[in-house]
Amino acid sequence: MTQIDFYLLGDNSADGSDRVVCRLADKAFRLGRRVYIYADDAGTCKKLDQLFWTFSANSFIPHTLGLATK
């Protein structure tokens, strides 16, 4: 069965929120789950793409960056 979880983060710094996204994606990956992350703009997508490679020395989050066109 498909499960969808939504996380609404407070008005913390963008870096803190981005790291929460990475930690949640890492946890989901380790549990064998698939994750879809939506970001409002290409800049945020690219920032998360880079952060997935560097946020932790002990983990790897396989991912792909798909930018929607309007």
Side-chain angles (χ1 to χ4, degrees), residues 39-61:
D40 287 338
D41 58 74
T44 301
C45 290
K46 290 178 183 178
K47 184 177 179 184
L48 286 172
D49 177 52
Q50 290 297 314
L51 197 53
F52 280 142
W53 289 100
T54 61
F55 90 100
S56 173
N58 299 321
S59 68
F60 170 70
I61 302 172

Side-chain angles (χ1 to χ4, degrees), residues 28-42:
F29 173 69
R30 286 185 281 115
L31 292 171
R33 307 282 169 79
R34 293 180 60 173
V35 177
Y36 176 82
I37 299 169
Y38 173 82
D40 287 338
D41 58 74

Side-chain angles (χ1 to χ4, degrees), residues 14-28:
D15 283 342
S17 297
D18 293 343
R19 293 199 176 277
V20 169
V21 169
C22 289
R23 285 194 304 268
L24 287 171
D26 183 51
K27 179 180 178 181

